[in-house]
Amino acid sequence: MNLDALITYTLTSTALLQPELLVAVGLMLILVTDLFLKKTVQKWISVLFFLVMGLALISLSRQSEVQAQVFSGMISIDGYSVFFKYLFVVSALLAGVMSLFSEELNQNRRRLGEYFIVMTGMVLGMMLMAGAANLLMMFVAIELVSLSSYILVSYLKDDKISNESGVKYIIYGSFSSGLMIYGISLIYGITGTLSLSEMNAVLQNPAATIDPVTLTIAVLLVLGGLGYKVAAAPFHFWAPDAYQGAPTPVAAFLSVAPKAAGFAMMLRFFKTVFFGSATQDGYVPLASLDWVSILAVISVLTMTIGNVTALWQQNVKRMLAYSSIAHAGYILMGVLLLSDSGIAAMMFYLAYYLIMNLGAFYVTMLLGDRVQSYELDDWRGLGFRAPVLAVPMVIFLASLIGIPGTVGFTGKFLLFVAVLQQGSLYFWLALIAVANSVVSAFYYFKVAKILFLKKSADPHAEPVTAPVPAVVLLFVFAVPTIVLGIWWSPLYNWAMASVRMITG
Amino acid sequence: MESLTLNHFLTLSAVLFSLGVFGVMTRRNAVVVLMGIELMLNSANINLIAFSRYNGNMDGQMLAIFVIVLAAAEAAVALAIILNLYSNYNTVNLDEVDQLKE
C-alpha cells in the first residue's frame, strides 16, 4: 500500500469510528474543562458528561447501518457491536445521573471531575471491547476498562472500605490480565497471527498441526481474563469485595456495563475463532477445542456458587454482588449454545439486566444513604417508612428472580427455550438453571420480607423520603422492568437482527 | 556451541511466569505482589517477541510494546492505590487489611 492509499484508508476508518472518537474527544474536553472550573461549580462538569454521552447516542444511530472492519482488521463495526455500544452509553448515562444523587460521592465537596473523566474512559474502553477483532485490541480495550474501574472503586479516598476493595480489585485484576496476556502470547505462537479471523483460517486448515493441549491451556488462560471481567467462577472473588466497598453508583455500573462488554468480547472471540461453518440456526464448532463443555462447567459453577453464597449475606450490596455473579452464570448459557437464538437471548438478557440491576442498586443507594447502613438488620420495617422507595425495590427483586409479569421472567424464558432448542444434550443445563432460580428466590425475598414484614427496632422512626428528581429516576428503572416484561418483542427482534450481522 | 532456539526463550518465560504466579500467591506485601504481576506480564513479552521472530511477522513485537505501556499504567494506578492504603491503614501488608469479610 502506498502512502496516499494508506492515508485515505486511515481517514475512512476514522470516519466510521465516529461514536468512539466522540467519546475520546469528550474525555479530553472534560479533562481540560475540569482544570478551569472552580471547586464550587465543578458539579456542572456532569452536564458536559451527559452532553458527550447524548452525542454518542446520536452518532451511534448513524453507525448502526455500517458493516465494516476498520484499521486493518483491528475493530469490527457491525450491528452486534452497535447493540452493545448502546447498552454502555445508556448505562453510563443512568449511572451518571445516579451519582448526582449519591451522598457518598457528593459529601465533603469531593471533586466529581475525575469521576466523570474516568467513567468516560471506561465507556470508551467498553466500546472498543465490543468491536475488538484482534487480540491486541482486545487486550488494550480490556485494560482500559480495568484501569478505569480500579480508580472508580477506590474513589472514596478517605474511606477505608473503599480503599481496601480497590486494592483487592487491582490485585485480582492485574493477576488475571497477566494470565490473559500469557495466554494471548501462546495463541500467537500457535497460530502465528493476532487477528481473530486469520486465526480461524489457520485452525480450519487441515494441514496445520496444532497441539490441542497447548491450545486448550492458552484458551483457558485467555478465558481467565474474560471470566474475570464478567465475574465468572473461579474468577469471581473480587466481585463481592469490590461491590461492597465501591461507591454504590460505581458498583451498579460495574455490575452491568463491563459485564456486558466482557460477554460481547467473549462471544466474538469464540464465535470468530472456533467456528467452522454456520447452519440454519446453529454453528459447527471446530474440533480442535471442546470449549463448549468448558463453558458449560463454568456456567454451572458460576450460577451455583453465586446463588448459594448469596443466601447467607447480611449486607445488601454484597448480596447483590453474589446475585450478579449468579446472573453471569445464566448469561454464559447463551454464549455456549452455538445458536442465533442463544446469542439473541444473551443480548436481551444483558439489556434488561442493565435496567433492573441498576434499579436495584439505585434503591439500595437511596435507602443506604438515608439509613447510613447497608446491613439487612438495619433495614427492618423500612418498607413502611419509605414506601415510595421500597415498592419499586420489590419490583426489581421480583424481576431478578424471574416472576412472570416482569422482564426477568421473559428473559429467563427466552434463554431456557434457546437452551432446550439445542436438544436433550443441554437438558440438564436448563434443569440446573431452573433449580438455581428457585434457590435465588429465597434471598431476594428475604430482602422484601425484611422491608415489609419485620418490625422496625425503633417504633417511632421517622419516615424516609427522597427528593422528587430521585424518585422520577426510580420510575425510569421501574417502568421498563414491567413494560418490557409484556412488550418485549421489539427489543428481542433488535437483538436477533444484530446477531445476524456479526462479522468476523 | 549450541545456538539459542525458540525453546530456550519459552522455557525462560515459563519459569518467569511461574515465579510471578508464585510471588502473587505467597507474598503478603502489596508492593511485592505487584512485582510478581510485573514478572507475569514480562514473561508474556518474552514469549511474544520470541514467537514474533519465529513466526516471521511483527505482530508480536507490536503487542509487546503495548504490554509494556499498559504494565506501566497499571503499576502507576496500583501504586497510587497502595499509597492511599498506607495512609489509611498504616500498613501495606495485605493480611492486615481485612475489614471486608463474608
Side-chain angles (χ1 to χ4, degrees):
Chain A
M1 219 191 285
N2 63 25
L3 192 62
D4 277 349
L6 195 67
I7 291 172
T8 324
Y9 177 73
T10 312
L11 286 178
T12 334
S13 296
T14 316
L16 288 174
L17 267 187
Q18 210 186 39
E20 282 87 345
L21 287 175
L22 240 162
V23 175
V25 171
L27 169 71
M28 288 180 250
L29 206 67
I30 299 173
L31 180 70
V32 175
T33 317
D34 182 52
L35 293 177
F36 293 105
L37 275 187
K38 286 211 179 68
K39 216 176 175 185
T40 42
V41 289
Q42 57 103 22
K43 212 175 175 182
W44 292 102
I45 203 80
S46 58
V47 175
L48 201 55
F49 173 78
F50 295 128
L51 196 72
V52 169
M53 290 299 142
L55 285 176
L57 271 188
I58 295 170
S59 84
L60 268 179
S61 66
R62 293 175 45 188
Q63 202 185 36
S64 55
E65 301 302 315
V66 185
Q67 195 151 15
Q69 292 229 334
V70 295
F71 291 117
S72 40
M74 280 285 165
I75 302 170
S76 286
I77 303 172
D78 47 25
Y80 173 76
S81 66
V82 171
F83 181 93
F84 278 101
K85 287 175 201 170
Y86 271 112
L87 294 195
F88 306 145
V89 176
V90 168
S91 57
L93 272 173
L94 293 173
V97 183
M98 265 172 84
S99 329
L100 295 183
F101 296 122
S102 162
E103 283 181 7
E104 286 172 301
L105 283 173
N106 293 304
Q107 69 194 1
N108 307 334
R109 290 248 192 90
R110 243 182 214 112
R111 289 192 70 95
L112 274 183
E114 289 96 352
Y115 179 83
F116 284 113
I117 295 165
V118 175
M119 203 152 194
T120 319
M122 201 160 155
V123 173
L124 176 65
M126 291 187 295
M127 288 170 115
L128 294 176
M129 267 175 91
N134 186 299
L135 287 178
L136 195 165
M137 198 65 229
M138 277 171 67
F139 188 67
V140 173
I142 211 170
E143 280 295 286
L144 180 51
V145 176
S146 300
L147 289 176
S148 317
S149 31
Y150 303 147
I151 300 172
L152 285 183
V153 164
S154 45
Y155 193 73
L156 308 174
K157 267 177 75 178
D158 38 14
D159 183 279
K160 277 191 160 186
I161 304 249
S162 169
N163 205 216
E164 177 184 346
S165 66
V167 170
K168 288 185 172 166
Y169 191 22
I170 195 165
I171 287 174
Y172 281 123
S174 17
F175 180 71
S176 40
S177 55
L179 293 182
M180 184 174 177
I181 189 64
Y182 197 76
I184 288 177
S185 75
L186 289 180
I187 292 185
Y188 171 65
I190 298 168
T191 59
T193 172
L194 288 173
S195 149
L196 297 187
S197 45
E198 284 172 26
M199 230 172 264
N200 181 263
V202 172
L203 290 179
Q204 287 208 43
N205 182 3
T209 48
I210 284 165
D211 181 26
V213 179
T214 323
L215 186 66
T216 311
I217 291 173
V219 171
L220 277 180
L221 286 170
V222 172
L223 204 57
L226 292 170
Y228 148 79
K229 208 80 241 120
V230 304
F235 295 97
H236 65 282
F237 294 104
W238 60 274
D241 288 343
Y243 288 17
Q244 190 183 343
T248 318
V250 173
F253 190 54
L254 280 187
S255 72
V256 293
K259 197 179 283 264
F263 276 114
M265 194 154 124
M266 186 187 282
L267 189 92
R268 191 188 291 278
F269 175 68
F270 281 116
K271 186 173 181 318
T272 314
V273 180
F274 298 104
F275 277 118
S277 52
T279 56
Q280 192 72 45
D281 183 39
Y283 312 96
V284 183
L286 290 174
S288 46
L289 179 73
D290 188 13
W291 56 272
V292 176
S293 315
I294 297 173
L295 282 185
V297 172
I298 293 180
S299 158
V300 168
L301 265 181
T302 309
M303 63 176 97
T304 315
I305 290 177
N307 279 322
V308 173
T309 326
L311 284 175
W312 54 79
Q313 296 307 318
Q314 287 303 317
N315 183 299
V316 184
K317 276 163 93 176
R318 217 176 165 82
M319 188 211 84
L320 284 175
Y322 280 108
S323 124
S324 92
I325 294 172
H327 281 274
Y330 301 137
I331 300 169
L332 262 177
M333 293 197 306
V335 179
L336 59 88
L337 280 182
L338 314 174
S339 69
D340 280 351
S341 50
I343 301 171
M346 173 198 100
M347 291 162 80
F348 182 79
Y349 204 114
L350 283 166
Y352 79 78
Y353 181 69
L354 180 162
I355 296 163
M356 68 183 183
N357 211 42
L358 278 181
F361 267 106
Y362 181 56
V363 182
T364 308
M365 179 190 94
L366 290 175
L367 288 176
D369 274 351
R370 276 149 193 81
V371 190
Q372 294 296 327
S373 165
Y374 291 102
E375 298 299 317
L376 270 177
D377 284 342
D378 299 328
W379 281 28
R380 282 165 204 270
L382 209 53
F384 296 104
R385 288 166 65 194
V388 189
L389 305 180
V391 171
M393 184 67 171
V394 176
I395 296 176
F396 298 133
L397 293 172
S399 183
L400 283 165
I401 303 170
I403 303 280
T406 59
V407 68
F409 172 75
T410 319
K412 278 205 178 121
F413 180 74
L414 289 171
L415 194 59
F416 293 161
V417 166
V419 173
L420 292 175
Q421 268 175 1
Q422 292 302 301
S424 53
L425 201 67
Y426 293 93
F427 182 69
W428 57 272
L429 192 61
L431 207 66
I432 293 174
V434 171
N436 261 293
S437 304
V438 176
V439 172
S440 76
F442 284 101
Y443 62 85
Y444 289 128
F445 270 136
K446 191 169 83 180
V447 178
K449 192 180 82 183
I450 280 181
L451 283 176
F452 281 104
L453 300 179
K454 294 273 168 145
K455 282 276 183 312
S456 166
D458 174 13
H460 304 294
E462 298 268 305
V464 176
T465 51
V468 176
V471 176
V472 171
L473 179 63
L474 194 52
F475 280 91
V476 173
F477 294 118
V479 172
T481 308
I482 302 284
V483 172
L484 274 176
I486 301 151
W487 192 57
W488 47 272
S489 53
L491 183 59
Y492 183 72
N493 289 341
W494 181 29
M496 200 62 171
S498 308
V499 173
R500 302 236 160 83
M501 286 173 73
I502 305 183
T503 52
Chain B
M1 205 176 98
E2 202 184 340
S3 62
L4 280 174
T5 61
L6 179 65
N7 282 337
H8 291 100
F9 289 101
L10 296 189
T11 316
L12 171 68
S13 96
V15 169
L16 271 183
F17 183 75
S18 317
L19 282 176
V21 173
F22 183 75
V24 175
M25 298 283 182
T26 56
R27 298 293 143 164
R28 303 294 9 128
N29 184 314
V31 180
V32 182
V33 171
L34 265 191
M35 287 158 67
I37 289 165
E38 292 295 311
L39 274 186
M40 289 168 70
L41 293 173
N42 283 319
S43 72
N45 279 345
I46 294 177
N47 251 356
L48 284 169
I49 293 166
F51 278 133
S52 177
R53 174 84 180 200
Y54 177 76
N55 289 329
N57 60 32
M58 296 295 280
D59 291 7
Q61 299 194 27
M62 211 160 64
L63 180 51
I65 291 173
F66 277 89
V67 175
I68 292 169
V69 174
L70 288 169
E74 204 163 73
V77 173
L79 287 175
I81 292 177
I82 290 173
L83 200 64
N84 197 22
L85 180 86
Y86 183 73
S87 63
N88 275 334
Y89 284 84
N90 252 328
T91 176
V92 287
N93 187 330
L94 293 173
D95 284 339
E96 291 170 36
V97 185
D98 55 357
Q99 300 214 336
L100 292 166
K101 285 224 177 90
E102 291 300 313

